[in-house]
Amino acid sequence: MRLATLDDGRPDGALVVVSHDGARWLATPGLTLLSALDDWQRAEPELLRRAAALEAGAGGRLDLARLRAPLPRSWQWLDGSAFGTHGQLMQIAFGLPPVETDRPLMYQGLSDRFFGPADPVPFADPAHGIDFEGEFGVIVDHVPMGTSAAEALKHVKLVVQINDWSLRTIAPIEMKTGFGWIQAKPPCSMAPFAVTPKALGEAWQDGRVCLDLVIDMNGRRFGKASGAAMDFGFHDLIAHAALTRDLVAGTVIGSGTVSNANYAEVGSSCISEVRAIEIIRDGGPSTPFMAYGDTVRMEGRNPAGWAPFGTIHQGVVPA
């Protein structure tokens, strides 16, 4: 099952069910994705009925231009850093000592807005080091405090694709304070479709999204790293987040930037990682961060070319 949110002028939009091929949709009167997640046990059967009707030929033609983020806002956004290669390269990029821990890394970010897949994204100043970060995420129902990794995956109701925008010249300043990010982390973007784990099929294995995240910047291929290479699966990230608190229904948990050890072959999912590679190889970075007018396109694909989450395609604009 694939879900999306149509822009209807309200803050949370209108939840719709989308066909497997992304061509058609059916309304879900009275529901938003956030309200459905609040009572998923009751909402899911009706959503599945609509999904079955779509596959039988029902529904109207989907206008992609009307789609917002599938979850336009939520109660909580927790972003992990579950790809070890990315973490190692970021330490080089920022000139920071290694993080000596066997625990997942995670921060709590801004969740009162997620940009839609085609929204222009405003920034105050390109000198802040505008960067994209391609990643995958999960949306959970209520997760009780103390939930173990073994029990965590049953709480994953939907899987999403995310662009976690970052401001790289501000980030190291905030990191060194020991308090975390405020200025360096503007709102994220989401691809148009939230997908159930079952609908992902073989692309959902061991709490990981086993798809290549294909990224183009300004029309040129930037990377196609695989989401399968997480050092910690989403079950580990959920258990980590829930150790000392309940997680409210609608909490979004990110994988962190998708990154592979064979980055020389597959490329990267953010500019900062490329700059770190250049530091290692050349002694200094040469790839600039984004400027006004630059664009980024992201699409998680399986080997057959199916993109279950749809496409993020956005441009950077002045605030």
Side-chain angles (χ1 to χ4, degrees):
M1 180 168 62
R2 303 170 86 189
L3 302 177
T5 293
L6 290 181
D7 187 359
D8 67 352
R10 295 180 299 167
D12 295 307
L15 178 64
V16 299
V17 185
V18 179
S19 60
H20 182 80
D21 62 5
R24 288 169 292 107
W25 66 282
L26 281 172
T28 62
L31 280 181
T32 67
L33 184 50
L34 199 55
S35 68
L37 288 160
D38 273 335
D39 194 358
W40 190 254
Q41 188 172 1
R42 177 177 295 180
E44 185 184 28
E46 185 57 39
L47 295 175
L48 288 171
R49 280 192 286 272
R50 282 170 164 74
L54 282 164
E55 300 316 312
R61 199 75 185 168
L62 182 66
D63 181 1
L64 292 174
R66 289 188 61 197
L67 295 183
R68 301 175 60 187
L71 193 61
R73 58 178 181 171
S74 190
W75 306 110
Q76 186 165 225
W77 156 238
L78 303 172
D79 197 17
S81 182
F83 293 88
T85 298
H86 178 72
Q88 294 159 15
L89 290 170
M90 287 303 93
Q91 288 158 16
I92 294 168
F94 291 143
L96 299 171
V99 179
E100 301 294 344
T101 181
D102 57 359
R103 303 170 63 191
L105 301 179
M106 185 175 286
Y107 75 92
Q108 184 161 337
L110 187 159
S111 64
D112 59 6
R113 178 182 183 186
F114 290 94
F115 288 117
D119 290 344
V121 183
F123 290 95
D125 189 344
H128 291 157
I130 303 167
D131 197 0
F132 52 84
E133 291 191 63
E135 56 185 272
F136 298 109
V138 297
I139 306 175
V140 298
D141 64 4
H142 173 250
V143 181
M145 183 191 309
T147 293
S148 67
E151 293 292 315
L153 286 185
K154 70 182 182 183
H155 294 286
V156 174
K157 300 308 171 190
L158 296 164
V159 188
V160 292
Q161 177 189 308
I162 296 168
N163 180 3
D164 175 32
W165 291 100
S166 295
L167 298 173
R168 297 300 195 183
T169 60
I170 298 175
I173 299 169
E174 292 192 312
M175 289 169 70
K176 289 174 182 177
T177 68
F179 270 77
W181 287 302
I182 295 294
Q183 296 176 340
K185 288 293 185 179
C188 301
S189 304
M190 278 190 189
F193 306 127
V195 185
T196 56
K198 183 178 180 180
L200 286 176
E202 293 183 357
W204 178 251
Q205 298 182 36
D206 192 26
R208 292 161 170 85
V209 180
C210 301
L211 298 172
D212 291 339
L213 186 55
V214 181
I215 299 177
D216 296 333
M217 179 177 168
N218 294 331
R220 294 187 177 183
R221 182 57 39 84
F222 195 91
K224 55 173 184 177
S226 171
M230 291 172 73
D231 291 9
F232 296 96
F234 279 109
H235 48 302
D236 300 308
L237 298 181
I238 294 167
H240 175 78
L243 179 66
T244 59
R245 61 168 115 175
D246 289 0
L247 302 182
V248 67
T251 295
V252 187
I253 297 179
S255 66
T257 305
V258 177
S259 182
N260 295 170
N262 61 333
Y263 51 76
E265 302 168 29
V266 301
S268 298
S269 301
C270 73
I271 296 171
S272 193
E273 186 172 296
V274 168
R275 289 167 63 89
I277 295 165
E278 292 166 348
I279 291 170
I280 296 168
R281 185 187 65 214
D282 306 325
S286 56
T287 299
F289 291 116
M290 298 184 80
Y292 295 145
D294 285 345
T295 62
V296 62
R297 187 180 191 275
M298 299 182 178
E299 194 174 80
R301 297 181 194 162
N302 71 4
W306 184 49
F309 308 108
T311 305
I312 295 173
H313 194 184
Q314 296 181 302
V316 171
V317 299

